[in-house]
Amino acid sequence: MDERKKPAWMQDDLVKDIPQNKLDFLGKMFAEGHGKSQKEMMALLLPMMKKARQEKLTFTQQEMNAAIAAIKKHSTEAELEQINKILEKSREKR
């Protein structure tokens, strides 16, 4: 991906140690989920996570925390609200 076209969060120092293929996957997931309702987002996430498993693309807890922190850092208030709701739902399912 062209450096100039990358979202700001993908260029943040918080994610500098995450391999590019993982960042690209997260970037696609974030872009496809942008503007979707919580219910639509959850429906999108399940198949994407299945695809990641099929491609043997796994994330450490540290990578996920760094990516989430970077995304939140570069999000609007509305996006932050949606992210927090999705994360809360995700924790409830565990």
Side-chain angles (χ1 to χ4, degrees):
M1 183 181 281
D2 185 346
E3 287 295 319
R4 294 167 298 192
K5 293 182 181 179
K6 282 185 182 179
W9 71 267
M10 287 179 86
Q11 299 175 49
D12 195 287
D13 280 344
L14 289 168
V15 297
K16 71 179 179 351
D17 295 327
I18 298 176
Q20 190 59 50
N21 65 328
K22 291 181 180 185
L23 288 177
D24 290 343
F25 176 82
L26 291 173
K28 181 179 178 187
M29 190 167 64
F30 187 70
E32 288 183 18
H34 190 74
K36 296 203 179 328
S37 71
Q38 183 179 344
K39 186 175 182 177
E40 292 170 321
M41 189 65 185
M42 294 306 283
L44 173 75
L45 287 175
L46 295 175
M48 289 193 83
M49 295 312 290
K50 182 179 179 181
K51 183 178 181 201
R53 281 192 300 276
Q54 289 171 340
E55 294 177 9
K56 307 242 186 294
L57 189 64
T58 60
F59 295 87
T60 66
Q61 191 62 46
Q62 182 179 353
E63 288 171 333
M64 285 306 297
N65 290 342
I68 290 167
I71 291 168
K72 284 180 153 185
K73 183 176 172 182
H74 297 278
S75 295
T76 65
E77 281 298 317
E79 290 168 335
L80 280 172
E81 188 175 317
Q82 184 181 22
I83 290 166
N84 288 330
K85 284 179 183 177
I86 290 167
L87 291 173
E88 188 175 312
K89 272 279 192 211
S90 175
R91 282 190 285 271
E92 288 174 5
K93 289 189 180 217
R94 286 188 207 156

Coordinates of all heavy atoms in Angstrom, one line a residue:
M1 N 0.9 -1.2 0.0 CA 0.0 0.0 0.0 C 0.9 1.2 0.0 O 1.9 1.3 0.7 CB -0.9 0.0 1.2 CG -1.9 1.1 1.3 SD -3.0 1.1 2.7 CE -4.2 -0.1 2.2
D2 N 0.5 2.2 -0.8 CA 1.3 3.5 -0.9 C 1.2 4.2 0.5 O 0.2 4.3 1.0 CB 0.6 4.3 -2.0 CG 1.4 5.6 -2.3 OD1 2.2 6.0 -1.5 OD2 1.1 6.2 -3.3
E3 N 2.4 4.6 0.9 CA 2.5 5.3 2.2 C 1.6 6.5 2.3 O 1.0 6.7 3.4 CB 4.0 5.7 2.5 CG 4.9 4.6 2.8 CD 4.6 3.9 4.1 OE1 4.2 4.5 5.1 OE2 4.7 2.7 4.1
R4 N 1.4 7.2 1.2 CA 0.6 8.4 1.3 C -0.9 8.1 1.4 O -1.7 8.9 1.8 CB 0.8 9.3 0.1 CG 2.2 9.9 0.0 CD 2.5 10.4 -1.3 NE 2.4 9.3 -2.3 CZ 2.8 9.3 -3.5 NH1 3.3 10.4 -4.0 NH2 2.7 8.3 -4.3
K5 N -1.3 6.9 1.0 CA -2.7 6.5 1.0 C -3.1 5.7 2.3 O -4.2 5.4 2.5 CB -3.0 5.6 -0.2 CG -2.9 6.3 -1.5 CD -3.3 5.5 -2.7 CE -3.2 6.2 -4.0 NZ -3.5 5.4 -5.1
K6 N -2.1 5.4 3.1 CA -2.4 4.7 4.3 C -3.1 5.6 5.3 O -2.8 6.8 5.4 CB -1.1 4.2 5.0 CG -0.5 3.0 4.4 CD 0.7 2.6 5.2 CE 1.4 1.4 4.6 NZ 2.6 1.0 5.4
P7 N -4.1 5.1 6.0 CA -4.7 5.9 7.0 C -3.7 6.3 8.1 O -2.7 5.6 8.3 CB -5.8 4.9 7.6 CG -5.9 3.7 6.7 CD -4.6 3.7 5.9
A8 N -4.0 7.3 8.8 CA -3.0 7.9 9.8 C -2.7 6.8 10.8 O -1.5 6.7 11.3 CB -3.6 9.1 10.4
W9 N -3.7 6.0 11.2 CA -3.4 5.0 12.3 C -2.4 4.0 11.9 O -1.7 3.5 12.7 CB -4.7 4.4 12.8 CG -5.4 3.4 11.9 CD1 -6.4 3.7 11.0 CD2 -5.1 2.0 11.7 NE1 -6.7 2.6 10.3 CE2 -5.9 1.5 10.7 CE3 -4.2 1.2 12.4 CZ2 -6.0 0.2 10.3 CZ3 -4.2 -0.2 12.0 CH2 -5.1 -0.6 11.0
M10 N -2.4 3.7 10.6 CA -1.4 2.7 10.1 C 0.0 3.2 10.0 O 1.0 2.4 9.9 CB -1.8 2.2 8.7 CG -3.1 1.3 8.7 SD -3.6 0.8 7.1 CE -2.5 -0.7 6.9
Q11 N 0.2 4.5 10.2 CA 1.5 5.1 10.1 C 1.9 5.5 11.5 O 3.0 6.0 11.7 CB 1.5 6.3 9.2 CG 1.1 6.0 7.8 CD 1.0 7.2 6.9 OE1 1.8 8.1 6.9 NE2 -0.1 7.3 6.2
D12 N 1.1 5.2 12.5 CA 1.4 5.6 13.9 C 2.5 4.7 14.5 O 2.6 3.5 14.1 CB 0.1 5.4 14.7 CG 0.2 6.1 16.1 OD1 1.0 5.6 17.0 OD2 -0.4 7.2 16.3
D13 N 3.3 5.3 15.3 CA 4.4 4.5 16.0 C 3.9 3.3 16.8 O 4.6 2.3 17.0 CB 5.3 5.4 16.9 CG 6.3 6.2 16.1 OD1 6.5 5.9 14.9 OD2 6.8 7.2 16.6
L14 N 2.7 3.4 17.3 CA 2.1 2.3 18.0 C 2.1 1.0 17.3 O 2.1 -0.1 17.9 CB 0.7 2.7 18.5 CG 0.5 3.7 19.6 CD1 -0.9 4.2 19.7 CD2 1.1 3.2 20.9
V15 N 1.9 1.1 16.0 CA 1.8 -0.2 15.2 C 3.0 -0.5 14.3 O 3.0 -1.3 13.4 CB 0.5 -0.1 14.3 CG1 -0.7 0.0 15.1 CG2 0.6 1.0 13.3
K16 N 4.1 0.2 14.6 CA 5.3 0.1 13.7 C 5.9 -1.3 13.8 O 6.5 -1.8 12.8 CB 6.4 1.1 14.1 CG 7.1 0.9 15.4 CD 8.1 1.9 15.7 CE 8.8 1.9 17.0 NZ 8.5 1.0 18.0
D17 N 5.6 -2.1 14.8 CA 6.2 -3.5 14.9 C 5.2 -4.5 14.4 O 5.6 -5.7 14.4 CB 6.6 -3.8 16.4 CG 7.7 -2.9 16.8 OD1 8.6 -2.5 16.0 OD2 7.7 -2.5 18.0
I18 N 4.1 -4.1 13.9 CA 3.1 -5.1 13.4 C 3.4 -5.3 11.9 O 3.5 -4.4 11.2 CB 1.6 -4.6 13.6 CG1 1.3 -4.4 15.1 CG2 0.6 -5.6 13.0 CD1 0.0 -3.9 15.4
P19 N 3.5 -6.6 11.5 CA 3.8 -6.9 10.1 C 2.8 -6.2 9.1 O 1.6 -6.1 9.5 CB 3.7 -8.4 10.0 CG 4.0 -8.9 11.4 CD 3.4 -7.8 12.3
Q20 N 3.2 -5.8 8.0 CA 2.4 -5.1 7.0 C 1.2 -5.9 6.6 O 0.1 -5.4 6.4 CB 3.2 -4.8 5.8 CG 2.5 -3.8 4.8 CD 2.1 -2.5 5.5 OE1 2.9 -1.9 6.1 NE2 0.8 -2.1 5.4
N21 N 1.3 -7.2 6.4 CA 0.1 -8.0 6.0 C -1.0 -8.0 7.1 O -2.2 -8.0 6.8 CB 0.5 -9.5 5.7 CG 1.0 -10.3 6.8 OD1 1.7 -9.7 7.8 ND2 0.8 -11.6 6.8
K22 N -0.6 -7.9 8.3 CA -1.6 -7.8 9.4 C -2.2 -6.4 9.4 O -3.4 -6.3 9.6 CB -0.9 -8.1 10.8 CG -0.5 -9.6 10.9 CD 0.0 -9.8 12.3 CE 0.5 -11.2 12.5 NZ 0.9 -11.5 13.8
L23 N -1.4 -5.4 9.2 CA -2.0 -4.0 9.1 C -2.9 -3.9 7.9 O -4.0 -3.3 8.1 CB -0.8 -3.0 9.0 CG 0.0 -2.8 10.2 CD1 1.1 -1.8 9.9 CD2 -0.8 -2.3 11.4
D24 N -2.6 -4.5 6.8 CA -3.4 -4.4 5.6 C -4.8 -5.1 5.9 O -5.8 -4.6 5.5 CB -2.8 -5.1 4.4 CG -1.6 -4.3 3.9 OD1 -1.5 -3.1 4.2 OD2 -0.8 -4.9 3.2
F25 N -4.7 -6.2 6.6 CA -6.0 -6.9 7.0 C -6.8 -6.1 7.9 O -8.0 -5.9 7.7 CB -5.7 -8.3 7.7 CG -6.9 -9.0 8.2 CD1 -7.6 -9.8 7.3 CD2 -7.3 -8.9 9.5 CE1 -8.7 -10.5 7.7 CE2 -8.4 -9.6 9.9 CZ -9.2 -10.3 9.0
L26 N -6.2 -5.5 8.9 CA -7.0 -4.6 9.8 C -7.5 -3.4 9.1 O -8.6 -2.9 9.4 CB -6.1 -4.2 11.0 CG -5.7 -5.3 12.0 CD1 -4.7 -4.8 13.0 CD2 -7.0 -5.9 12.7
G27 N -6.7 -2.8 8.2 CA -7.1 -1.7 7.4 C -8.3 -2.0 6.6 O -9.2 -1.2 6.5
K28 N -8.3 -3.1 6.0 CA -9.5 -3.5 5.2 C -10.7 -3.7 6.0 O -11.8 -3.3 5.7 CB -9.2 -4.8 4.4 CG -10.3 -5.3 3.5 CD -9.9 -6.6 2.8 CE -11.1 -7.0 2.0 NZ -10.9 -8.3 1.4
M29 N -10.5 -4.3 7.2 CA -11.6 -4.6 8.1 C -12.2 -3.2 8.6 O -13.4 -3.0 8.6 CB -11.1 -5.4 9.3 CG -12.2 -5.9 10.2 SD -11.7 -7.2 11.4 CE -10.5 -6.3 12.4
F30 N -11.3 -2.3 8.9 CA -11.7 -1.0 9.4 C -12.4 -0.2 8.3 O -13.5 0.4 8.6 CB -10.5 -0.2 9.9 CG -10.8 1.1 10.6 CD1 -11.4 1.1 11.9 CD2 -10.5 2.3 10.0 CE1 -11.8 2.3 12.5 CE2 -10.8 3.5 10.7 CZ -11.5 3.5 11.9
A31 N -11.9 -0.3 7.1 CA -12.5 0.5 6.0 C -13.9 -0.1 5.7 O -14.9 0.7 5.4 CB -11.6 0.4 4.8
E32 N -14.0 -1.4 5.7 CA -15.3 -2.0 5.3 C -16.4 -1.8 6.4 O -17.6 -1.8 6.2 CB -15.2 -3.5 5.1 CG -14.5 -3.8 3.7 CD -14.4 -5.3 3.4 OE1 -15.1 -6.1 4.0 OE2 -13.5 -5.6 2.6
G33 N -15.9 -1.6 7.6 CA -16.8 -1.4 8.8 C -17.2 0.0 9.0 O -18.1 0.3 9.7
H34 N -16.5 0.9 8.4 CA -16.7 2.3 8.6 C -18.1 2.7 8.3 O -18.6 2.4 7.2 CB -15.7 3.2 7.7 CG -15.7 4.6 8.0 ND1 -15.1 5.1 9.2 CD2 -16.3 5.7 7.4 CE1 -15.3 6.4 9.2 NE2 -16.0 6.8 8.2
G35 N -18.8 3.3 9.2 CA -20.2 3.8 9.0 C -21.3 2.8 9.2 O -22.4 3.1 9.1
K36 N -20.9 1.6 9.5 CA -21.9 0.5 9.7 C -22.4 0.5 11.2 O -21.7 1.0 12.1 CB -21.3 -0.9 9.4 CG -20.9 -1.0 8.0 CD -20.8 -2.5 7.6 CE -20.4 -2.8 6.2 NZ -20.8 -1.9 5.2
S37 N -23.6 0.0 11.3 CA -24.1 -0.1 12.7 C -23.4 -1.2 13.4 O -22.7 -2.0 12.9 CB -25.6 -0.4 12.6 OG -25.8 -1.8 12.2
Q38 N -23.6 -1.2 14.7 CA -23.0 -2.2 15.6 C -23.4 -3.6 15.1 O -22.5 -4.5 15.0 CB -23.4 -2.0 17.0 CG -22.7 -3.0 18.0 CD -23.1 -2.7 19.4 OE1 -23.7 -1.6 19.7 NE2 -22.9 -3.6 20.3
K39 N -24.6 -3.8 14.8 CA -25.1 -5.1 14.3 C -24.5 -5.5 13.0 O -24.0 -6.6 12.8 CB -26.6 -5.1 14.2 CG -27.2 -6.4 13.9 CD -28.7 -6.4 13.9 CE -29.3 -7.7 13.6 NZ -30.8 -7.7 13.7
E40 N -24.4 -4.5 12.0 CA -23.8 -4.8 10.7 C -22.3 -5.1 10.9 O -21.7 -5.9 10.2 CB -23.9 -3.5 9.8 CG -25.4 -3.3 9.4 CD -25.5 -1.9 8.7 OE1 -24.9 -0.9 9.1 OE2 -26.3 -1.9 7.7
M41 N -21.7 -4.3 11.8 CA -20.2 -4.5 12.1 C -19.9 -5.9 12.6 O -19.0 -6.6 12.2 CB -19.7 -3.4 13.0 CG -18.3 -3.4 13.2 SD -17.5 -2.9 11.6 CE -15.8 -3.1 12.1
M42 N -20.8 -6.4 13.5 CA -20.5 -7.7 14.1 C -20.7 -8.8 13.0 O -20.0 -9.8 12.9 CB -21.5 -8.0 15.3 CG -21.2 -7.1 16.5 SD -19.5 -7.1 17.1 CE -19.5 -8.7 17.9
A43 N -21.7 -8.6 12.1 CA -22.0 -9.5 11.0 C -20.8 -9.5 10.0 O -20.4 -10.5 9.4 CB -23.2 -9.1 10.3
L44 N -20.1 -8.4 9.9 CA -18.9 -8.3 9.0 C -17.7 -8.9 9.7 O -16.9 -9.6 9.0 CB -18.7 -6.8 8.7 CG -17.4 -6.5 8.0 CD1 -17.5 -6.8 6.5 CD2 -17.0 -5.0 8.1
L45 N -17.6 -8.7 11.0 CA -16.4 -9.2 11.6 C -16.3 -10.7 11.7 O -15.2 -11.3 11.5 CB -16.3 -8.7 13.1 CG -16.0 -7.2 13.3 CD1 -16.1 -6.8 14.7 CD2 -14.6 -6.9 12.7
L46 N -17.3 -11.4 11.9 CA -17.3 -12.9 12.0 C -16.7 -13.6 10.7 O -15.7 -14.3 10.9 CB -18.7 -13.5 12.3 CG -19.2 -13.0 13.7 CD1 -20.6 -13.5 13.9 CD2 -18.3 -13.5 14.8
P47 N -17.2 -13.3 9.5 CA -16.5 -13.9 8.4 C -15.1 -13.4 8.1 O -14.3 -14.2 7.7 CB -17.4 -13.5 7.2 CG -18.6 -12.8 7.7 CD -18.4 -12.5 9.2
M48 N -14.8 -12.2 8.5 CA -13.4 -11.7 8.3 C -12.5 -12.4 9.3 O -11.4 -12.8 8.9 CB -13.4 -10.2 8.5 CG -14.0 -9.4 7.4 SD -13.6 -7.7 7.4 CE -12.0 -7.7 6.6
M49 N -12.9 -12.7 10.5 CA -12.1 -13.4 11.4 C -11.9 -14.8 11.0 O -10.8 -15.4 11.2 CB -12.6 -13.3 12.8 CG -12.6 -11.9 13.4 SD -11.1 -10.9 13.2 CE -10.0 -11.8 14.3
K50 N -12.9 -15.4 10.4 CA -12.8 -16.8 9.9 C -11.8 -16.8 8.8 O -11.0 -17.7 8.7 CB -14.2 -17.3 9.4 CG -14.2 -18.7 8.9 CD -15.5 -19.1 8.5 CE -15.5 -20.6 7.9 NZ -16.8 -21.0 7.5
K51 N -11.8 -15.8 7.9 CA -10.9 -15.8 6.8 C -9.5 -15.6 7.3 O -8.5 -16.3 6.8 CB -11.2 -14.6 5.9 CG -10.3 -14.5 4.7 CD -10.7 -13.4 3.8 CE -9.8 -13.4 2.6 NZ -9.7 -12.2 1.9
A52 N -9.3 -14.8 8.3 CA -8.0 -14.6 8.9 C -7.4 -16.0 9.5 O -6.3 -16.3 9.3 CB -8.0 -13.6 10.0
R53 N -8.3 -16.7 10.1 CA -7.9 -18.0 10.7 C -7.5 -19.0 9.5 O -6.5 -19.7 9.6 CB -9.0 -18.6 11.5 CG -9.1 -18.1 12.9 CD -10.0 -18.9 13.8 NE -11.3 -19.0 13.4 CZ -12.3 -18.1 13.6 NH1 -12.0 -17.0 14.3 NH2 -13.5 -18.3 13.2
Q54 N -8.3 -19.0 8.4 CA -8.0 -19.8 7.3 C -6.6 -19.5 6.7 O -5.9 -20.3 6.2 CB -9.1 -19.7 6.2 CG -10.4 -20.3 6.6 CD -11.5 -20.0 5.6 OE1 -11.5 -19.1 4.9 NE2 -12.6 -20.8 5.7
E55 N -6.3 -18.2 6.7 CA -5.0 -17.7 6.1 C -3.9 -17.8 7.2 O -2.8 -17.3 6.9 CB -5.2 -16.3 5.6 CG -6.1 -16.2 4.4 CD -6.3 -14.8 3.9 OE1 -5.6 -13.9 4.4 OE2 -7.2 -14.6 3.0
K56 N -4.2 -18.4 8.3 CA -3.2 -18.5 9.4 C -2.7 -17.1 9.8 O -1.5 -17.0 10.2 CB -2.1 -19.4 9.0 CG -2.6 -20.8 8.5 CD -2.1 -21.9 9.4 CE -2.4 -23.3 8.8 NZ -3.7 -23.7 8.7
L57 N -3.6 -16.1 9.8 CA -3.2 -14.8 10.2 C -3.7 -14.6 11.6 O -4.9 -14.4 11.9 CB -3.9 -13.8 9.2 CG -3.5 -12.3 9.3 CD1 -2.0 -12.2 9.0 CD2 -4.4 -11.5 8.4
T58 N -2.8 -14.6 12.6 CA -3.2 -14.5 14.0 C -2.5 -13.2 14.5 O -1.5 -12.8 14.1 CB -2.7 -15.7 14.8 OG1 -1.3 -15.8 14.7 CG2 -3.4 -17.0 14.3
F59 N -3.2 -12.7 15.5 CA -2.7 -11.5 16.2 C -2.4 -11.8 17.6 O -3.2 -12.4 18.3 CB -3.8 -10.4 16.1 CG -4.0 -9.9 14.7 CD1 -5.0 -10.6 13.9 CD2 -3.3 -8.8 14.1 CE1 -5.2 -10.2 12.6 CE2 -3.6 -8.4 12.8 CZ -4.5 -9.1 12.1
T60 N -1.3 -11.3 18.1 CA -1.0 -11.4 19.6 C -1.9 -10.3 20.3 O -2.4 -9.4 19.7 CB 0.5 -11.1 19.9 OG1 0.7 -9.7 19.6 CG2 1.4 -12.0 19.1
Q61 N -2.1 -10.5 21.6 CA -2.8 -9.5 22.3 C -2.1 -8.2 22.3 O -2.8 -7.1 22.2 CB -2.9 -10.0 23.8 CG -3.9 -9.2 24.6 CD -5.3 -9.3 24.1 OE1 -5.8 -10.4 23.8 NE2 -6.0 -8.1 23.9
Q62 N -0.8 -8.2 22.3 CA -0.1 -6.9 22.2 C -0.3 -6.2 20.8 O -0.5 -5.0 20.8 CB 1.4 -7.2 22.3 CG 2.3 -5.9 22.3 CD 3.8 -6.3 22.5 OE1 4.1 -7.4 22.8 NE2 4.6 -5.2 22.4
E63 N -0.4 -7.0 19.7 CA -0.7 -6.4 18.4 C -2.1 -5.8 18.4 O -2.3 -4.7 17.8 CB -0.5 -7.5 17.3 CG 0.9 -7.8 17.1 CD 1.1 -9.0 16.1 OE1 0.2 -9.9 16.1 OE2 2.1 -9.1 15.5
M64 N -3.0 -6.6 18.9 CA -4.4 -6.1 18.9 C -4.5 -4.8 19.7 O -5.2 -3.9 19.3 CB -5.4 -7.2 19.4 CG -5.6 -8.3 18.4 SD -6.2 -7.7 16.8 CE -7.7 -6.9 17.1
N65 N -3.9 -4.8 20.9 CA -4.0 -3.6 21.8 C -3.4 -2.4 21.1 O -3.9 -1.3 21.2 CB -3.3 -3.9 23.1 CG -4.1 -4.9 24.0 OD1 -5.3 -5.1 23.8 ND2 -3.4 -5.5 24.9
A66 N -2.2 -2.6 20.4 CA -1.6 -1.5 19.7 C -2.4 -1.0 18.6 O -2.5 0.2 18.4 CB -0.2 -2.0 19.2
A67 N -3.0 -1.9 17.8 CA -3.8 -1.5 16.7 C -5.0 -0.8 17.1 O -5.4 0.3 16.6 CB -4.2 -2.7 15.8
I68 N -5.7 -1.3 18.2 CA -6.9 -0.6 18.7 C -6.5 0.8 19.2 O -7.2 1.7 19.0 CB -7.6 -1.5 19.8 CG1 -8.2 -2.7 19.1 CG2 -8.6 -0.7 20.5 CD1 -8.6 -3.8 20.1
A69 N -5.4 0.9 19.9 CA -5.0 2.2 20.5 C -4.7 3.2 19.4 O -5.1 4.3 19.4 CB -3.8 2.0 21.4
A70 N -4.1 2.7 18.3 CA -3.7 3.6 17.2 C -5.0 4.0 16.5 O -5.2 5.2 16.1 CB -2.8 2.9 16.2
I71 N -5.9 3.1 16.2 CA -7.2 3.4 15.6 C -8.0 4.4 16.4 O -8.5 5.4 15.9 CB -8.0 2.1 15.3 CG1 -7.3 1.3 14.2 CG2 -9.4 2.5 14.9 CD1 -7.9 -0.1 14.1
K72 N -8.1 4.2 17.7 CA -8.8 5.1 18.6 C -8.1 6.5 18.6 O -8.9 7.5 18.6 CB -8.8 4.6 20.0 CG -9.8 3.4 20.2 CD -9.7 3.0 21.7 CE -11.0 2.4 22.2 NZ -10.9 2.1 23.6
K73 N -6.8 6.5 18.6 CA -6.1 7.8 18.6 C -6.4 8.7 17.4 O -6.4 9.9 17.5 CB -4.6 7.5 18.6 CG -3.7 8.6 18.7 CD -2.2 8.1 18.8 CE -1.2 9.2 18.7 NZ 0.2 8.7 18.8
H74 N -6.7 8.0 16.3 CA -7.0 8.8 15.0 C -8.5 8.7 14.6 O -8.8 8.9 13.4 CB -6.1 8.2 13.9 CG -4.7 8.4 14.2 ND1 -4.0 9.5 13.9 CD2 -3.7 7.5 14.7 CE1 -2.7 9.4 14.3 NE2 -2.5 8.2 14.8
S75 N -9.4 8.5 15.6 CA -10.8 8.4 15.3 C -11.6 9.6 15.8 O -11.1 10.3 16.7 CB -11.4 7.2 16.0 OG -10.8 6.0 15.4
T76 N -12.7 9.8 15.1 CA -13.6 10.9 15.6 C -14.4 10.4 16.8 O -14.3 9.2 17.1 CB -14.6 11.2 14.4 OG1 -15.5 10.1 14.3 CG2 -14.0 11.6 13.1
E77 N -15.1 11.3 17.4 CA -15.9 11.0 18.6 C -16.9 9.9 18.2 O -17.1 9.0 19.0 CB -16.6 12.2 19.2 CG -15.7 13.1 20.0 CD -15.1 12.3 21.3 OE1 -15.9 11.6 21.9 OE2 -13.9 12.5 21.5
A78 N -17.6 10.1 17.1 CA -18.6 9.1 16.7 C -17.9 7.7 16.5 O -18.5 6.7 16.8 CB -19.3 9.6 15.4
E79 N -16.8 7.7 15.8 CA -16.1 6.4 15.6 C -15.7 5.8 16.9 O -15.8 4.6 17.1 CB -14.9 6.7 14.7 CG -15.2 7.0 13.3 CD -14.0 7.5 12.4 OE1 -13.1 8.0 13.0 OE2 -14.1 7.4 11.2
L80 N -15.2 6.6 17.8 CA -14.8 6.1 19.1 C -15.9 5.5 19.9 O -15.8 4.4 20.5 CB -14.2 7.2 20.0 CG -12.8 7.6 19.8 CD1 -12.4 8.9 20.6 CD2 -11.8 6.5 20.1
E81 N -17.1 6.1 19.8 CA -18.3 5.5 20.4 C -18.6 4.2 19.8 O -18.9 3.2 20.6 CB -19.5 6.5 20.2 CG -20.7 6.1 21.0 CD -21.8 7.2 20.9 OE1 -21.5 8.4 21.0 OE2 -22.9 6.7 20.7
Q82 N -18.6 4.1 18.5 CA -18.8 2.8 17.8 C -17.8 1.7 18.2 O -18.1 0.6 18.5 CB -18.9 3.0 16.3 CG -19.3 1.7 15.6 CD -19.3 1.9 14.1 OE1 -18.7 2.8 13.6 NE2 -20.0 1.0 13.4
I83 N -16.5 2.1 18.2 CA -15.5 1.2 18.5 C -15.6 0.7 20.0 O -15.5 -0.5 20.2 CB -14.1 1.9 18.4 CG1 -13.8 2.1 16.9 CG2 -13.0 1.0 19.0 CD1 -12.6 3.1 16.7
N84 N -15.9 1.6 20.9 CA -16.1 1.1 22.3 C -17.3 0.2 22.4 O -17.2 -0.8 23.2 CB -16.2 2.4 23.2 CG -14.9 3.1 23.3 OD1 -13.8 2.5 23.3 ND2 -15.0 4.4 23.5
K85 N -18.4 0.4 21.7 CA -19.5 -0.5 21.8 C -19.2 -1.8 21.3 O -19.5 -2.9 21.8 CB -20.7 0.1 21.0 CG -21.4 1.3 21.7 CD -22.5 1.8 20.8 CE -23.2 3.0 21.5 NZ -24.3 3.5 20.6
I86 N -18.4 -1.9 20.1 CA -18.1 -3.2 19.5 C -17.1 -3.9 20.5 O -17.3 -5.1 20.7 CB -17.4 -2.9 18.2 CG1 -18.5 -2.5 17.2 CG2 -16.8 -4.2 17.6 CD1 -18.0 -1.9 15.9
L87 N -16.2 -3.2 21.1 CA -15.2 -3.9 22.0 C -16.0 -4.4 23.2 O -15.6 -5.5 23.7 CB -14.1 -2.9 22.4 CG -13.1 -2.5 21.3 CD1 -12.2 -1.4 21.8 CD2 -12.3 -3.7 20.8
E88 N -16.9 -3.6 23.7 CA -17.7 -4.1 24.8 C -18.5 -5.3 24.5 O -18.5 -6.3 25.3 CB -18.7 -3.0 25.3 CG -19.4 -3.3 26.6 CD -20.2 -2.1 27.1 OE1 -19.7 -1.0 27.1 OE2 -21.4 -2.3 27.4
K89 N -19.1 -5.4 23.3 CA -19.9 -6.6 22.9 C -18.9 -7.7 22.8 O -19.3 -8.9 23.1 CB -20.5 -6.3 21.5 CG -21.9 -5.7 21.6 CD -22.9 -6.8 21.9 CE -24.2 -6.2 21.7 NZ -25.2 -6.8 22.5
S90 N -17.8 -7.5 22.2 CA -16.8 -8.6 22.1 C -16.4 -9.1 23.4 O -16.2 -10.4 23.5 CB -15.5 -8.0 21.3 OG -14.5 -9.0 21.2
R91 N -16.2 -8.3 24.4 CA -15.8 -8.8 25.7 C -16.9 -9.6 26.4 O -16.7 -10.5 27.1 CB -15.4 -7.6 26.6 CG -14.0 -7.1 26.4 CD -13.6 -6.1 27.4 NE -14.2 -4.8 27.3 CZ -13.7 -3.8 26.5 NH1 -12.6 -4.0 25.9 NH2 -14.4 -2.7 26.4
E92 N -18.2 -9.2 26.1 CA -19.3 -9.9 26.6 C -19.4 -11.3 26.1 O -19.9 -12.2 26.8 CB -20.6 -9.1 26.3 CG -20.8 -7.9 27.1 CD -22.0 -7.1 26.6 OE1 -22.8 -7.5 25.8 OE2 -22.2 -5.9 27.2
K93 N -19.0 -11.5 24.9 CA -19.1 -12.8 24.2 C -18.0 -13.8 24.7 O -18.2 -15.0 24.5 CB -19.0 -12.6 22.7 CG -20.3 -12.0 22.1 CD -20.3 -12.0 20.7 CE -21.6 -11.4 20.2 NZ -22.1 -12.0 19.0
R94 N -17.0 -13.3 25.3 CA -15.9 -14.2 25.8 C -16.3 -14.9 27.0 O -16.8 -14.9 27.9 CB -14.7 -13.4 26.0 CG -14.0 -13.0 24.8 CD -12.7 -12.4 25.0 NE -12.3 -11.5 24.0 CZ -11.5 -10.5 24.1 NH1 -10.9 -10.2 25.2 NH2 -11.2 -9.7 23.1

